[in-house]
Amino acid sequence: MAEQLSKRVTLIEAFYDLVFVYMISRATALIHQLTDGVVKPTTFLIFTFVVIVFINSWMVQTVFTNRYGSSSWSDMFYAFVDMAIVLYMSNSFSGSLTYDLHPFFIAAGLLSATLLAQYLGVRLKTAAQIDQQIATVFIYILLIRTCTLLIAGFIPEPIGIPLALVGIISSWIAPSFTGKYTKHHPIIFSHLVERLSLLTIIMFGETIVAIAGYFTKQTLSIGSVMVFAVVVALFFTYIAEFDHLINNQRRGETGNLLIYLHYPIIFGLSLITVALNFVGELDHNFDFPVTMLYLGLLLFYIGIGLATRFNRQPFAHGLFTRTIFILSWIIAFAAALMAEDFYTIVTITLVDTLLISYLMFQEVKLHV
């Protein structure tokens, strides 16, 4: 089988991505609630669980489209059905374990079932042995996930929640062990990079919407501009890696690492989005929002760092650049924890993010 090196991202795929970003914004709203100055651990766990459910569903669908999507009427039908399910799911969870999670589990099971049906279609139609093997592996993964979620939707939550966790965690981890099959039908790397980049850029759009409260007649200040500049610096760091340094024409890739490294990037952006609002809303006790902000930055930079293995060329000053990344984050985090006002925290964060963005574009200049 000749390896396909390019594939156009369709408008249907871009449209499909919008509902997932809406879901992530709804999930992020869960952790935009402080109780005694912190986000409750149960709320944070539910946020993590919900985001993993949705992103894992998006990733499985994206990889399917990458390998087997053809913009057929059946593909469009499944896309619109999935979008409707995701919209419902986005409004079916709460930050409290006392909330009824049965509708969420049932909807998640149905979403998984549509993915299962698509792989069944491939298994029945294809004559290529390797595609039959890939489809079979994903059928088993999705069957376990579908059954555990649907059963969890109809049994008492003390049993249902652990069962749903088993299904989600297993389907989240299992694709990383499918390389023995998927390496024989590699993903189209440029298509996957573009899909992931578009999703992340839309996530940045959600961050911009979230910080819009700094730009009103009552709140506009130099601090507003600095908060915006932090987001811009992070955006430029991302595009330096994924638009300039990465090799879009890589061959023989399963896509697993590229997918998994976007989990910390997306989680990081969610934490940054919430924390940037917290530091502007509080007038004291900044320890928790600063910790959330810098945890988000750390996750974001970990994802960027992992992506460098796909670069056209290694970092020209690899060890130096990575050392500066780590030291600047540690120093900025420590300094921000000691800060006692909004402006100092934002100034420290801006200096740190601008420095890393500058280093990334220095790498771009060296490799142009």
Side-chain angles (χ1 to χ4, degrees), residues 22-23 25-26 47-48 78 102 111-112 139 143 147 160 173 179 192 198 226 276-277 283 296 298 306 312 334 345 361:
Y22 170 69
M23 175 282 308
S25 69
R26 290 280 298 142
F47 160 75
T48 303
Y78 279 117
H102 289 108
L111 182 62
S112 184
I139 285 168
L143 184 61
C147 291
I173 296 173
L192 185 58
L198 288 173
M226 289 194 294
L276 286 175
N277 279 289
D283 55 11
L298 179 62
L306 290 172
R312 294 185 181 91
I345 293 169
F361 270 93

Coordinates of all heavy atoms in Angstrom, one line a residue, residues 22-23 25-26 47-48 78 102 111-112 139 143 147 160 173 179 192 198 226 276-277 283 296 298 306 312 334 345 361:
Y22 N -16.7 23.9 22.2 CA -17.8 24.3 23.1 C -17.8 23.4 24.3 O -18.0 23.9 25.5 CB -19.1 24.2 22.4 CG -20.3 24.4 23.3 CD1 -20.6 25.6 23.9 CD2 -21.2 23.4 23.6 CE1 -21.6 25.8 24.8 CE2 -22.2 23.5 24.5 CZ -22.5 24.7 25.0 OH -23.5 24.9 25.9
M23 N -17.6 22.1 24.1 CA -17.6 21.2 25.3 C -16.5 21.5 26.2 O -16.7 21.5 27.4 CB -17.5 19.7 24.7 CG -17.3 18.7 25.8 SD -15.7 18.6 26.6 CE -14.6 18.4 25.2
S25 N -15.0 24.3 26.7 CA -15.4 25.6 27.4 C -16.4 25.3 28.5 O -16.3 25.9 29.6 CB -15.9 26.6 26.5 OG -17.2 26.3 26.0
R26 N -17.3 24.4 28.3 CA -18.3 24.0 29.3 C -17.6 23.3 30.5 O -17.9 23.5 31.6 CB -19.4 23.1 28.7 CG -20.3 23.9 27.8 CD -21.4 24.6 28.5 NE -22.2 23.7 29.3 CZ -22.6 24.0 30.6 NH1 -22.3 25.1 31.1 NH2 -23.4 23.1 31.2
F47 N -13.8 17.5 36.1 CA -13.3 18.2 34.9 C -12.3 17.4 34.1 O -12.4 17.3 32.9 CB -12.6 19.5 35.4 CG -11.6 20.1 34.4 CD1 -12.1 20.8 33.3 CD2 -10.3 20.0 34.6 CE1 -11.2 21.4 32.4 CE2 -9.4 20.5 33.7 CZ -9.9 21.2 32.6
T48 N -11.4 16.7 34.8 CA -10.4 15.9 34.1 C -11.1 14.7 33.4 O -10.8 14.4 32.2 CB -9.4 15.3 35.1 OG1 -8.8 16.4 35.8 CG2 -8.3 14.5 34.4
Y78 N -22.6 10.6 10.1 CA -22.0 10.3 11.4 C -21.5 11.5 12.1 O -21.6 11.7 13.3 CB -20.9 9.3 11.3 CG -21.3 7.8 11.1 CD1 -21.1 7.1 10.0 CD2 -22.0 7.2 12.2 CE1 -21.5 5.8 9.9 CE2 -22.5 5.9 12.1 CZ -22.2 5.2 10.9 OH -22.6 3.9 10.8
H102 N -26.0 9.8 35.0 CA -26.5 8.8 34.0 C -26.7 9.3 32.6 O -26.3 8.6 31.7 CB -27.8 8.2 34.6 CG -27.6 7.4 35.8 ND1 -28.0 7.8 37.1 CD2 -27.0 6.1 36.0 CE1 -27.7 6.8 37.9 NE2 -27.1 5.8 37.3
L111 N -22.1 8.0 21.7 CA -21.0 8.6 20.9 C -19.9 7.6 20.6 O -19.5 7.5 19.4 CB -20.3 9.8 21.7 CG -19.2 10.5 20.9 CD1 -19.7 11.2 19.7 CD2 -18.6 11.6 21.9
S112 N -19.6 6.7 21.5 CA -18.7 5.7 21.3 C -19.2 4.6 20.3 O -18.5 4.1 19.5 CB -18.3 5.0 22.6 OG -17.3 4.0 22.5
I139 N -12.4 -1.9 17.1 CA -13.8 -2.4 17.4 C -13.8 -3.0 18.8 O -14.7 -2.7 19.6 CB -14.2 -3.5 16.4 CG1 -14.6 -2.9 15.1 CG2 -15.4 -4.3 16.9 CD1 -14.8 -3.9 13.9
L143 N -15.9 -1.3 21.7 CA -16.9 -2.1 22.2 C -16.9 -2.1 23.8 O -17.9 -2.0 24.4 CB -16.8 -3.6 21.7 CG -17.9 -4.5 22.1 CD1 -19.3 -4.1 21.6 CD2 -17.6 -6.0 21.6
C147 N -19.9 -0.5 25.9 CA -20.6 -1.3 26.9 C -20.5 -0.8 28.3 O -21.5 -0.7 29.1 CB -20.2 -2.8 26.8 SG -20.6 -3.6 25.3
G160 N -21.6 2.4 38.9 CA -21.5 2.9 37.6 C -20.3 3.8 37.3 O -19.6 3.7 36.3
I173 N -5.9 4.6 26.9 CA -4.5 4.1 26.9 C -4.3 3.1 25.8 O -3.3 3.0 25.2 CB -4.2 3.4 28.3 CG1 -4.2 4.5 29.4 CG2 -2.9 2.7 28.2 CD1 -4.1 3.9 30.8
G179 N 0.3 0.1 17.8 CA 1.4 0.4 16.8 C 1.8 -0.8 15.9 O 2.1 -0.6 14.7
L192 N -3.1 15.2 10.2 CA -3.3 15.1 11.7 C -2.7 16.4 12.3 O -3.3 16.9 13.3 CB -2.6 13.9 12.2 CG -2.8 13.6 13.7 CD1 -4.3 13.5 14.1 CD2 -2.1 12.4 14.2
L198 N -5.7 23.2 14.3 CA -6.9 23.9 14.2 C -7.7 23.9 15.5 O -8.3 24.9 16.0 CB -7.8 23.4 13.1 CG -7.3 23.8 11.7 CD1 -8.1 23.0 10.6 CD2 -7.3 25.3 11.4
M226 N -1.3 43.4 29.3 CA -0.3 42.3 29.6 C -0.9 41.0 29.6 O -0.3 40.0 29.2 CB 0.3 42.7 31.0 CG 1.2 43.9 31.0 SD 2.2 44.1 32.5 CE 1.0 44.4 33.7
L276 N -6.0 32.9 34.6 CA -5.9 34.3 34.2 C -7.1 35.2 34.7 O -6.9 36.4 35.0 CB -5.7 34.5 32.7 CG -4.3 34.1 32.2 CD1 -4.3 34.1 30.6 CD2 -3.2 35.0 32.7
N277 N -8.2 34.5 34.8 CA -9.4 35.2 35.3 C -9.3 35.3 36.8 O -9.7 36.4 37.4 CB -10.7 34.5 34.9 CG -11.1 34.9 33.5 OD1 -11.5 36.0 33.2 ND2 -11.0 33.9 32.6
D283 N -8.2 39.8 45.3 CA -7.4 40.9 45.8 C -6.4 40.5 46.9 O -5.6 41.3 47.4 CB -8.2 42.1 46.3 CG -9.2 41.7 47.4 OD1 -9.1 40.5 47.9 OD2 -10.1 42.5 47.7
G296 N -0.6 25.0 34.5 CA -1.1 25.1 33.1 C 0.1 25.4 32.1 O 0.2 24.8 31.1
L298 N 3.3 24.8 32.6 CA 4.1 23.6 32.6 C 3.6 22.5 31.7 O 4.3 22.0 30.8 CB 4.3 23.1 34.0 CG 5.2 21.8 34.2 CD1 6.6 22.1 33.7 CD2 5.1 21.3 35.6
L306 N 7.7 17.8 23.9 CA 7.5 16.5 23.3 C 7.4 16.6 21.8 O 7.9 15.7 21.1 CB 6.3 15.8 23.9 CG 6.4 15.4 25.4 CD1 5.1 14.8 25.8 CD2 7.5 14.3 25.5
R312 N 11.9 19.3 11.8 CA 12.7 19.0 10.6 C 14.2 18.8 11.0 O 14.9 18.0 10.4 CB 12.6 20.2 9.6 CG 11.2 20.4 9.0 CD 11.3 21.5 8.0 NE 9.9 21.7 7.4 CZ 9.1 22.6 7.9 NH1 9.3 23.3 9.0 NH2 7.9 22.7 7.4
A334 N 8.3 30.7 41.3 CA 8.7 31.1 42.7 C 8.4 32.6 42.9 O 7.9 33.0 43.9 CB 10.1 30.8 42.9
I345 N 2.2 39.7 39.4 CA 2.0 38.3 38.9 C 2.0 38.3 37.4 O 2.7 37.5 36.7 CB 0.7 37.7 39.5 CG1 0.9 37.5 41.0 CG2 0.4 36.4 38.8 CD1 -0.4 37.1 41.7
F361 N 11.3 31.3 18.5 CA 11.5 32.0 17.1 C 12.9 32.1 16.8 O 13.2 32.3 15.6 CB 10.7 33.3 17.1 CG 9.3 33.0 16.6 CD1 8.2 32.8 17.5 CD2 9.0 33.0 15.2 CE1 7.0 32.6 17.0 CE2 7.7 32.7 14.8 CZ 6.7 32.6 15.7

